[in-house]
Amino acid sequence: MLVDTNDLDLLVFSELAREGRNLLRGGDLDAADDALRFALSLWRGPVLQGVPKSWSLSDAAANLDEERLNAFEDWAEARLTLGRHVDVASQLRPWVRANPLRERLWGQFMLALYRSGRRGEALQVFHDLRRGLDDELGIAPSAPVRNLHERILRGDPELLVPGSASLYTRAPGSASPAQD
């Protein structure tokens, strides 16, 4: 990772987020954690804060916010897989509140709480998500999130082992879940 201090933060962020995502997919979790954490540290507030937005600027800002959210979800995945669930649980709370329809975030939050010995809170998070999705869209949580909920209800010990289970890991004997 070579960073030129003359580069725009946005360009550095995009490169680091891409690198972190590739490292995560390749299984280099510590390096993914580092790259994604550094990328996220470049953000200092909402995109184009204080700038009057035209349609094109609003679209650009929304795309950048989406990039940031994807990088955060990847960072949380790396941290959970590394077993750093206590830290992730505290970091995820404001993100799920700000993004009530992002099921991946909610599932990561449930898993982090469960691994932190907070099973009741993890189950409450699922109920909050289910209620929010039903109220806003009239839908139920996705199959992977429902599967995670069922495994937490059962007290599945495999979920407690970092790296052995994630939101998209299927339960024994179940069909492969569709990712959202």
Side-chain angles (χ1 to χ4, degrees):
M1 164 178 59
L2 292 174
V3 176
D4 182 344
T5 57
N6 294 319
D7 285 343
L8 293 172
D9 285 351
L10 175 59
L11 299 176
V12 175
F13 166 80
S14 295
E15 179 58 35
L16 288 170
R18 185 174 27 262
E19 178 183 337
R21 187 168 297 112
N22 289 335
L23 289 164
L24 179 62
R25 288 180 183 145
D28 191 347
L29 301 173
D30 285 313
D33 177 28
D34 289 342
L36 291 162
R37 189 169 3 104
F38 185 46
L40 292 165
S41 76
L42 297 172
W43 286 85
R44 290 171 183 66
V47 176
L48 301 173
Q49 184 175 18
V51 175
K53 293 184 182 89
S54 65
W55 283 99
S56 59
L57 280 181
S58 293
D59 287 346
N63 289 338
L64 293 172
D65 283 335
E66 180 73 16
E67 257 191 84
R68 179 183 184 205
L69 187 51
N70 287 332
F72 181 82
E73 288 174 333
D74 290 341
W75 173 80
E77 183 177 329
R79 301 289 284 182
L80 283 167
T81 307
L82 286 165
R84 298 176 183 147
H85 40 271
V86 174
D87 175 52
V88 173
S90 66
Q91 298 282 332
L92 278 163
R93 186 175 306 278
W95 287 80
V96 296
R97 287 196 176 136
N99 299 281
L101 304 178
R102 290 292 284 229
E103 292 185 64
R104 182 180 181 200
L105 277 174
W106 285 81
Q108 289 172 328
F109 191 33
M110 289 168 54
L111 185 58
L113 289 169
Y114 180 68
R115 285 185 179 166
S116 298
R118 299 160 63 184
R119 181 178 177 204
E121 288 177 71
L123 294 170
Q124 183 61 52
V125 165
F126 176 80
H127 291 291
D128 293 345
L129 171 63
R130 184 180 63 199
R131 187 177 26 242
L133 289 174
D134 186 46
D135 289 350
E136 289 293 317
L137 304 172
I139 63 171
S142 65
V145 176
R146 289 192 318 267
N147 177 43
L148 179 62
H149 172 248
E150 291 169 11
R151 294 177 72 189
I152 291 171
L153 274 173
R154 288 194 319 265
D156 186 341
E158 185 180 315
L159 286 178
L160 296 172
V161 180
S164 68
S166 72
L167 176 58
Y168 296 107
T169 301
R170 64 184 178 87
S174 68
S176 179
Q179 293 190 17
D180 58 322

